[in-house]
Amino acid sequence: MLIKTRGIVLKTMKYGESSIIADIYTEEKGLRKYIISGVRSQKARVRASLLQVMSLVEMVVYDREDRDLNHIKEIKSAYVYHSMPFDIRKGAIALFIAEIARKTIHDTEENPQLFDFLFETFRHLDETTAPVNNIHLHFLLELSGFLGFLPGGAHSKQTPFFDLQEGIFVADRPVHQHYLDEDFSKMVSALLHASIYSCHEIRIENVQRRKFLQYLLDYYRLHIDYLPEIHAHQVLQEVLG
């Protein structure tokens, strides 16, 4: 069956002499794996640039539920990045977001809200002229909602601590070690109540941002079984540091 869908390239790997296998999160079918033949040959019909990680594309694809690998009939860009390829900070953040998405999203069913969230995150990151240093933190908290462990409650005098293990704001320090102090708990609450368009207004110092990212990755590890190791944050920390 042929279907038309937008997609977000999350991973590519070489296959054979001239082909590529791509993990693409699609608007119509969720996460799908496609093989694109001859893309690395001199007479390639599909430009390799269309299949770079975080590319936003429009495709006509063959889709069969009984196959792990499907083929792409037609592909073109759905959005051309203007600033991201030339901005090392934006590029590092985008690669981090793509790695998180690839290692946490496994649904093979359509989820238009999740697709729109991912698509808009990449597009906003490219288009914004505001500081981008908090976008990856905001992304992690927003994505947690789609994955089923959005933090519950809000920081207040009555609930000043965020319990990473339980995923809620609590009145007293938990007996275990997986919780945030008041300052970092305030950051969680502030980012949860901000939009991607305003999250840059939340003041976070560089040293705090590095620690906060580690805490949020710990939060993911506590709530996702067998989460693969995340690597892009190491480059991200250096770039933003």
Side-chain angles (χ1 to χ4, degrees), residues 195-212:
S195 72
I196 190 174
Y197 311 107
S198 63
C199 65
H200 65 277
E201 297 173 2
I202 300 170
R203 187 183 178 107
I204 303 176
E205 300 296 334
N206 283 341
V207 173
Q208 288 179 314
R209 187 177 291 108
R210 293 171 71 94
K211 290 182 179 179
F212 192 40

Side-chain angles (χ1 to χ4, degrees), residues 1-4 60-64 71-74:
M1 178 176 68
L2 278 174
I3 63 170
K4 184 177 181 179
V60 177
V61 299
Y62 298 96
D63 187 79
R64 286 184 53 174
H71 286 80
I72 296 175
K73 184 176 186 291
E74 300 173 14

Side-chain angles (χ1 to χ4, degrees), residues 165-214:
Q165 188 167 289
E166 299 299 323
I168 57 175
F169 290 87
V170 296
D172 302 308
R173 295 177 186 270
V175 294
H176 56 76
Q177 62 179 345
H178 302 297
Y179 70 92
L180 302 184
D181 65 20
E182 290 193 51
D183 287 340
F184 285 110
S185 296
K186 286 180 182 177
M187 293 179 201
V188 173
S189 194
L191 284 166
L192 282 173
H193 291 87
S195 72
I196 190 174
Y197 311 107
S198 63
C199 65
H200 65 277
E201 297 173 2
I202 300 170
R203 187 183 178 107
I204 303 176
E205 300 296 334
N206 283 341
V207 173
Q208 288 179 314
R209 187 177 291 108
R210 293 171 71 94
K211 290 182 179 179
F212 192 40
L213 176 56
Q214 292 294 340

Side-chain angles (χ1 to χ4, degrees), residues 11-240:
K11 179 184 178 182
T12 62
M13 59 179 285
K14 295 179 180 179
Y15 182 77
E17 292 186 1
S18 61
S19 299
I20 283 179
I21 292 176
D23 291 348
I24 301 179
Y25 189 73
T26 71
E27 188 171 19
E28 299 295 328
K29 293 291 182 176
L31 187 63
R32 283 289 192 267
K33 194 180 293 285
Y34 297 100
I35 182 168
I36 306 95
S37 301
V39 72
R40 293 186 289 121
S41 67
Q42 291 184 345
K43 298 181 180 180
R45 294 175 59 189
V46 176
R47 290 182 288 115
S49 60
L50 285 173
L51 296 166
Q52 292 182 352
V53 172
M54 66 197 175
S55 293
L56 307 178
V57 296
E58 292 182 1
M59 307 181 294
V60 177
V61 299
Y62 298 96
D63 187 79
R64 286 184 53 174
E65 298 290 343
D66 60 339
R67 288 187 176 178
D68 292 331
L69 271 178
N70 283 284
H71 286 80
I72 296 175
K73 184 176 186 291
E74 300 173 14
I75 184 171
K76 64 180 181 179
S77 179
Y79 176 84
V80 178
Y81 292 121
H82 302 287
S83 68
M84 206 184 301
F86 313 103
D87 188 316
I88 188 171
R89 291 192 171 203
K90 288 185 176 183
I93 291 170
L95 288 175
F96 172 78
I97 288 173
E99 182 179 7
I100 291 292
R102 175 168 58 86
K103 292 183 175 178
T104 59
I105 300 172
H106 307 292
D107 289 344
T108 54
E109 298 179 0
E110 65 173 323
N111 187 334
Q113 291 80 19
L114 175 55
F115 180 87
D116 286 343
F117 164 66
L118 294 172
F119 195 97
E120 183 58 28
T121 296
F122 283 114
R123 184 164 60 183
H124 172 72
L125 181 59
D126 182 65
E127 293 179 348
T128 186
T129 57
V132 297
N133 290 8
N134 291 340
I135 285 181
H136 60 298
L137 305 176
H138 182 270
F139 171 82
L140 286 171
L141 288 170
E142 286 287 307
L143 180 63
S144 71
F146 291 100
L147 300 176
F149 52 95
L150 182 73
H155 177 275
S156 68
K157 290 182 178 179
Q158 291 73 36
T159 53
F161 305 106
F162 181 66
D163 187 325
L164 293 166
Q165 188 167 289
E166 299 299 323
I168 57 175
F169 290 87
V170 296
D172 302 308
R173 295 177 186 270
V175 294
H176 56 76
Q177 62 179 345
H178 302 297
Y179 70 92
L180 302 184
D181 65 20
E182 290 193 51
D183 287 340
F184 285 110
S185 296
K186 286 180 182 177
M187 293 179 201
V188 173
S189 194
L191 284 166
L192 282 173
H193 291 87
S195 72
I196 190 174
Y197 311 107
S198 63
C199 65
H200 65 277
E201 297 173 2
I202 300 170
R203 187 183 178 107
I204 303 176
E205 300 296 334
N206 283 341
V207 173
Q208 288 179 314
R209 187 177 291 108
R210 293 171 71 94
K211 290 182 179 179
F212 192 40
L213 176 56
Q214 292 294 340
Y215 289 142
L216 291 181
L217 291 177
D218 288 342
Y219 183 52
Y220 268 62
R221 294 185 187 101
L222 286 167
H223 292 272
I224 299 178
D225 293 334
Y226 310 112
L227 178 67
E229 189 69 26
I230 305 298
H231 300 288
H233 75 288
Q234 297 168 350
V235 175
L236 179 60
Q237 297 281 41
E238 291 300 319
V239 171
L240 297 183

